[in-house]
Amino acid sequence: MTADWVIVTAPTDRGDAPSRVLTGAIRRLRDSRPEVEFRVAVLGGSETTITEALDDAAAAGAQSVLLVSGQTLGDAKQDSWIARIVGHWLRTRPAGASTPEVRVAPLLTEHDGFADLLEHAIEHGGKPARTTTAPIVSPAWEQVPAFTRHVLVCRGPRCSVEGARETAAALSRALDERGLDDDDVLTTVTGCLFPCALAPVVAVYPDGAWYRRVRPEQVDRLVDEHLIDGRPVPEWIARDLRAAGLAAAPSPE
């Protein structure tokens, strides 16, 4: 089968950005197969997600899309999530919309050429390990940050599908517009926070407030009322751990 589009997938962009790491490989593929559109997408994270890449393929009129994992060893959990995400995308396509056939390629380890890659690595010999690397501890990392609230934005697979990237971007903009930085509110993009059916999920600590289905248009109010004024927005809260006695109240200043 010859696909119109090939989407090379990675589990996440925590660490190095897959799009940057795969730049050389994608360039070579485009040179050898100019008729095919190549993209890189992540299952969860801040880079282009698999569903966003599929949206682009459909909008471009692709008839067939092949998903190829950029990982070498298999991951049953990741494979299951990719199947769910693609199935969700296919089920929720608008009626009458053009929808390409989507297929999933076998793992790289299932190809005969994988042994050649290992052989090449062995022949290369690698680089010597050294003792002059940066230490794993430093006095600079002993200072506890002074922020008053920590906001966790889930970027797991399902939250990513439901728009968590746009929610995280809106939160970053709202904090910047109000002059709040990491010394005031620390925002952390996380992996799966587990209540996936409530996606996109946002949690605020030390308040123990878990918000459900947070959309970009809700962010300004969440910032103004909760993060600045200290008043959680009750109608958006999935669970308030402090009210349930499961989160400690902040120490008096």
Side-chain angles (χ1 to χ4, degrees), residues 98-128:
S98 175
T99 302
E101 178 187 17
V102 182
R103 300 174 69 90
V104 180
L107 291 171
L108 300 181
T109 49
E110 297 178 19
H111 292 280
D112 293 339
F114 183 68
D116 295 333
L117 293 176
L118 294 178
E119 184 66 34
H120 176 73
I122 294 168
E123 287 295 327
H124 182 278
K127 298 179 180 179

Side-chain angles (χ1 to χ4, degrees), residues 12-32:
T12 181
D13 56 6
R14 283 178 290 172
D16 217 341
S19 58
R20 190 194 69 79
V21 172
L22 294 169
T23 296
I26 296 297
R27 184 185 301 116
R28 289 182 59 185
L29 290 169
R30 286 172 176 160
D31 289 343
S32 64

Side-chain angles (χ1 to χ4, degrees), residues 20-247:
R20 190 194 69 79
V21 172
L22 294 169
T23 296
I26 296 297
R27 184 185 301 116
R28 289 182 59 185
L29 290 169
R30 286 172 176 160
D31 289 343
S32 64
R33 297 175 180 266
E35 74 283 3
V36 178
E37 178 68 26
F38 289 91
R39 295 290 179 89
V40 177
V42 296
L43 184 59
S46 57
E47 288 210 329
T48 299
T49 62
I50 292 173
T51 52
E52 289 168 342
L54 288 171
D55 284 340
D56 290 343
Q63 297 299 305
S64 58
V65 177
L66 182 65
L67 299 183
V68 181
S69 174
Q71 285 190 250
T72 52
L73 301 180
D75 183 329
K77 182 178 290 187
Q78 176 187 320
D79 294 344
S80 174
W81 268 114
I82 289 178
R84 292 185 190 183
I85 294 304
V86 174
H88 172 81
W89 184 81
L90 291 170
R91 288 191 301 272
T92 56
R93 293 288 295 155
S98 175
T99 302
E101 178 187 17
V102 182
R103 300 174 69 90
V104 180
L107 291 171
L108 300 181
T109 49
E110 297 178 19
H111 292 280
D112 293 339
F114 183 68
D116 295 333
L117 293 176
L118 294 178
E119 184 66 34
H120 176 73
I122 294 168
E123 287 295 327
H124 182 278
K127 298 179 180 179
R130 54 193 177 89
T131 60
T132 55
T133 58
I136 61 172
V137 294
S138 166
W141 303 329
E142 295 176 359
Q143 182 66 41
V144 176
F147 57 84
T148 57
R149 286 186 172 85
H150 192 179
V151 181
L152 309 178
V153 182
C154 179
R155 281 304 311 267
R158 193 168 297 173
C159 282
S160 293
V161 168
E162 295 294 341
R165 180 163 77 162
E166 291 78 7
T167 297
L171 178 60
S172 179
R173 286 193 300 270
L175 294 173
D176 287 344
E177 290 168 359
R178 291 157 177 77
L180 300 175
D181 57 24
D182 288 352
D183 287 332
D184 304 298
V185 177
L186 179 64
T187 301
T188 302
V189 172
T190 75
C192 181
L193 290 177
F194 294 110
C196 301
L198 305 181
V201 174
V202 173
V204 180
Y205 278 86
D207 303 345
W210 284 65
Y211 288 97
R212 63 181 182 273
R213 302 184 183 92
V214 181
R215 308 298 178 188
E217 59 270 19
Q218 297 172 256
V219 166
D220 282 336
R221 182 181 172 191
L222 189 150
V223 170
D224 289 336
E225 294 188 14
H226 190 164
L227 302 185
I228 294 178
D229 292 344
R231 296 181 290 110
V233 185
E235 59 265 39
W236 299 342
I237 290 180
R239 192 174 189 195
D240 185 338
L241 298 184
R242 182 176 296 170
L246 300 176

